[in-house]
Amino acid sequence: MKPELQPIAGLHSDFDGAVGELLRAVTEQWLLVAPKANPAMLEMFADRDVIPYRDMVPWAGEFAGKYLTSAVQVLRATGDDRLRAWIAEFVAHLVRLQDDDGYLGPWPAGSHLTGAAPNVHGGGATWDAWGHYHVMLGLMLWYDETGDANTLNAARRIGDLFCDLFLGAVEVRLVDTGSTEMNLAPVHTMAMLYARTGEPRYLALAEQIVGEFAAQRPAGRGSDGPLAGDYLRMALAGREFFEMPKPRWESLHPIMGLVELTWLTGNTGYREAFERIWWSIVRHDRHNNGGFSSGEKATGNPFDPGAIETCCTIAWLAMSVEMLKLTGDSTVADEIELSTLNSVLGMHATSGRWATYNTPSDGARFASAHQIVFQARAGSPELNCCSVNSPRGLGMLSDWAVMVVGAGIALNYYGPAQFRVPLEPGLEVVITESTAYPLDGNVRIEVTPTRPAEFALRLRIPGWSRHTTVAVNGELVAGAPTAGTYLTLSRRWEAGDTIELVLDMGLRFWEGERECAGLTSIYRGPLLLAYDARYNRELHTTGLPVAYGGDPGQTTAACLQIPAIDAASLDTEPGAWDDWLPPLLLLEARTQDGRSVRLCDFASAGQTGTLYRSWLDL
Ligand SMILES: [Zn+2]
């Protein structure tokens, strides 16, 4: 089985606008400095056997791998030469820290991939296989980028260690090492490793792990019931993701193994289970800002005010990229755009220096290094699960912004950017977008092939754009494009060809239920709107007696009492903010009692530490 849509090997991207600025800021302020500012990221591997041991969180082994994956993906989106040189150096350090038997984790001898270690903070189980999953993923992405044989070899040695320990094992299977949402994730990287090497043992172990999804606790060992997430069986039986035994966000990583195995085996059951889980999350657990999870897991309630963790939204985006490749369904790209322009931009400081742990629909933005500081250690003051993971949300643009479909191109990303697509040997197509999108709906797309060539260009017509027009070289394309599909333009393209795409930026509304009953979310194009106290200093009252900001738990929706807004007054052009740190979008409107109110885009809300809300009273 083959993907419907494929990321493009050798794509050159140049993002401008807010997305481009943030890509550059995160490169400068985080990716190029994080390992040296937090050297324990690598040193914890170097001194794994030195006494006294480091006291570490169970997932400490993931930091280097997550960082590497983020860095490689951002590199693919920017082509930044300094980042490329630094990643090469980082990988050279990392692979030198691999043990003779292939082990590349931070735990001491005797504790390797057992799930236990004497120096786990709090005495819990280690997420050692999960840490290796992230290291393998980062190494394989770097191998894909460079073709470097040493890098692939390091990933293979991890794969060999897993096979030696777990392939065909009866006594201690991988699922028996505990923390199974996390520790079964290598199903995904073992399948990826098979795809890159053809080594049958890797595929055999991946399929064995799929079998372990359904493992049950042996009789007489504690309570009965599932040991793991049982994702495949339960999805095929029609259960929602939030009803499965392990609905935490980490489960999305082993679940992505099902897509990789679909390509390798053609097993349509894997494909069906994956698609059902993806749809279950869209329907029941994706919040108004495109973020996933409530309190780090699926609850079946998108109005749940529990934390929307950065790692969860990143995993959701990675899963969505797989869904887009699998189905070629443009509405999946709509979802990715929603999550990217609202949650991913919003989880990062515009400076690029930090990212959140929680990017709530209503509340405040706290740096992860502040809110989950319990993960910080000597030598790694800024490291936590989210800080190393967040740039992936931007880096994944390199997977989905523009893709290939058969002998043609699918354009998913709208915004000021240029893409150079190597379509076939000797034929490069330069796609240049001139637009203020997502601030307005007019997108001018120049298509410049190196020689006149016949191919299909698919344009994403967002599901939310009710009235769309497309013109090629000034001539309207006959028939209204259908929202929620790709419009295919098949013709002989030559230099100077220009497409004018006009999307409908009319306001849309999502009425809240449960905890958000009586409240409404407002969208303008792909952007969720928000009330930020910064732009409305005179208008709201608060539920707080004196101060806010010390305790993240305090900053709930109830803390900011805002007047009802007259939605009809909102259909206006963007306003200006004549002070520093302007929001991306600022709209003027009226309250129902006739006062002036400003709404900004969700990603800009709370950037200066003020309270904000996106569930609004209309
Ligand atoms: Zn996290």
Side-chain angles (χ1 to χ4, degrees):
M1 212 175 285
K2 284 222 170 340
E4 290 288 325
L5 291 175
Q6 298 251 40
I8 301 169
L11 173 72
H12 289 266
S13 308
D14 190 356
F15 291 92
D16 208 341
V19 167
E21 277 172 34
L22 190 55
L23 274 164
R24 286 184 283 277
V26 163
T27 300
E28 199 73 45
Q29 296 289 331
W30 177 253
L31 293 172
L32 285 171
V33 296
K36 284 179 183 167
N38 301 274
M41 185 193 290
L42 290 173
E43 290 294 306
M44 69 171 73
F45 299 116
D47 58 19
R48 61 172 77 95
D49 289 313
V50 176
I51 291 173
Y53 300 137
R54 290 173 187 265
D55 164 273
M56 291 183 291
V57 291
W59 50 91
E62 75 178 28
F63 297 145
K66 278 185 170 177
Y67 166 80
L68 178 58
T69 296
S70 288
V72 175
Q73 290 189 327
V74 168
L75 171 67
R76 290 192 319 214
T78 62
D80 186 303
D81 284 334
R82 288 172 314 150
L83 183 58
R84 187 185 307 277
W86 166 243
I87 297 172
E89 203 179 312
F90 179 86
V91 171
H93 285 300
L94 176 64
V95 301
R96 272 202 295 271
L97 299 169
Q98 190 163 27
D99 262 3
D100 291 342
D101 67 356
Y103 182 78
L104 193 41
W107 305 102
S111 304
H112 294 184
L113 295 167
T114 60
N119 51 329
V120 188
H121 185 74
T126 61
W127 303 7
D128 205 4
W130 165 261
H132 282 79
Y133 163 73
H134 285 288
V135 171
M136 286 178 87
L137 182 61
L139 289 173
M140 282 190 279
L141 293 183
W142 183 240
Y143 165 71
D144 290 348
E145 183 67 22
T146 60
D148 175 46
N150 282 336
T151 304
L152 182 62
N153 192 45
R156 282 193 77 133
R157 289 173 62 207
I158 296 173
D160 291 339
L161 175 63
F162 272 81
C163 288
D164 291 346
L165 289 173
F166 300 114
L167 183 59
V170 180
E171 278 294 294
V172 183
R173 300 163 299 174
L174 187 57
V175 72
D176 299 313
T177 67
S179 303
T180 57
E181 305 93 312
M182 306 83 187
N183 284 336
L184 295 189
V187 62
H188 183 207
T189 44
M190 295 306 296
M192 289 175 68
L193 191 57
Y194 172 73
R196 282 157 184 76
T197 62
E199 169 57 53
R201 292 206 306 165
Y202 304 150
L203 179 61
L205 182 57
E207 293 216 87
Q208 179 183 316
I209 297 171
V210 172
E212 291 178 20
F213 286 172
Q216 300 292 308
R217 219 172 284 280
R221 264 216 254 158
S223 56
D224 287 350
L227 264 179
D230 210 359
Y231 319 110
L232 177 64
R233 258 177 12 137
M234 289 211 169
L236 293 178
R239 298 283 284 276
E240 300 292 348
F241 178 57
F242 66 85
E243 298 172 323
M244 294 181 192
K246 303 279 183 184
R248 277 185 62 88
W249 70 272
E250 292 91 343
S251 290
L252 271 49
H253 290 278
I255 287 166
M256 279 187 265
L258 294 175
V259 182
E260 202 64 34
L261 285 169
T262 300
W263 314 135
L264 298 173
T265 67
N267 183 327
T268 53
Y270 294 162
R271 174 187 180 138
E272 188 170 346
F274 179 84
E275 289 191 25
R276 287 182 181 204
I277 293 170
W278 190 86
W279 281 108
S280 176
I281 292 174
V282 172
R283 292 197 180 108
H284 301 291
D285 280 288
R286 190 265 287 152
H287 292 272
N288 65 344
N289 57 11
F292 161 63
S293 85
S294 305
E296 306 184 3
K297 63 180 191 295
T299 63
N301 176 12
F303 311 103
D304 188 322
I308 305 175
E309 187 190 349
T310 286
C311 287
C312 312
T313 300
I314 297 302
W316 168 238
L317 275 161
M319 186 176 175
S320 298
V321 167
E322 296 303 319
M323 182 72 174
L324 182 57
K325 285 157 65 176
L326 187 66
T327 62
D329 178 345
S330 73
T331 61
V332 178
D334 294 350
E335 282 291 328
I336 295 174
E337 178 188 54
L338 173 77
S339 301
T340 301
L341 294 184
N342 295 290
S343 272
V344 173
L345 295 189
M347 70 178 61
H348 288 96
T350 42
S351 68
R353 284 177 81 102
W354 55 265
T356 63
Y357 156 76
N358 177 19
T359 310
S361 298
D362 300 335
R365 304 276 163 87
F366 289 81
S368 57
H370 169 188
Q371 195 163 9
I372 49 173
V373 67
F374 76 94
Q375 299 187 36
R377 292 290 183 278
S380 55
E382 301 162 306
L383 290 195
N384 57 66
C385 56
C386 296
S387 66
V388 286
N389 213 4
S390 69
R392 269 195 90 177
L394 297 165
M396 279 185 273
L397 283 157
S398 61
D399 287 318
W400 67 268
V402 51
M403 303 175 90
V404 284
V405 46
I409 299 171
L411 184 60
N412 291 313
Y413 178 83
Y414 298 132
Q418 186 175 75
F419 304 104
R420 286 191 283 140
V421 180
L423 195 56
E424 57 186 61
L427 176 61
E428 184 182 74
V429 180
V430 181
I431 297 175
T432 307
E433 298 186 46
S434 311
T435 177
Y437 185 90
L439 301 187
D440 75 38
N442 302 319
V443 186
R444 180 187 159 88
I445 304 160
E446 274 178 57
V447 182
T448 312
T450 43
R451 58 173 164 76
E454 193 119 358
F455 60 89
L457 177 61
R458 290 195 201 179
L459 295 183
R460 177 175 64 92
I461 308 300
W464 46 258
S465 181
R466 284 164 293 210
H467 306 288
T468 306
T469 61
V470 177
V472 179
N473 296 334
E475 215 166 289
L476 267 186
V477 173
T482 310
T485 66
Y486 285 106
L487 174 70
T488 302
L489 301 171
S490 291
R491 65 196 299 279
R492 185 178 166 84
W493 297 95
E494 46 189 274
D497 284 342
T498 302
I499 303 165
E500 303 276 356
L501 167 69
V502 183
L503 299 170
D504 182 351
M505 304 297 271
L507 299 177
R508 292 168 293 116
F509 303 91
W510 181 9
E511 280 183 35
E513 298 163 37
R514 304 199 207 183
E515 289 88 341
C516 300
L519 304 172
T520 304
S521 290
I522 312 175
Y523 297 88
R524 183 177 179 277
L527 298 181
L528 173 66
L529 302 184
Y531 177 101
D532 181 342
R534 183 184 184 214
Y535 308 115
N536 299 282
R537 287 181 177 133
E538 313 289 315
L539 214 50
H540 50 269
T541 54
T542 80
L544 297 170
V546 182
Y548 80 96
D551 175 9
Q554 277 188 345
T555 51
T556 61
C559 296
L560 202 59
Q561 310 289 339
I562 63 182
I565 293 164
D566 174 10
S569 71
L570 243 167
D571 195 12
T572 53
E573 287 302 298
W577 176 247
D578 56 1
D579 197 355
W580 71 318
L581 301 173
L584 183 61
L585 174 69
L586 195 64
L587 290 179
E588 308 266 348
R590 312 290 297 172
T591 62
Q592 288 185 8
D593 58 13
R595 290 176 288 167
S596 176
V597 60
R598 291 188 178 114
L599 299 182
C600 65
D601 64 294
F602 176 83
S604 299
Q607 285 287 357
T608 61
T610 44
L611 292 174
Y612 66 87
R613 286 178 56 168
S614 64
W615 284 108
L616 302 168
D617 188 9
L618 302 189

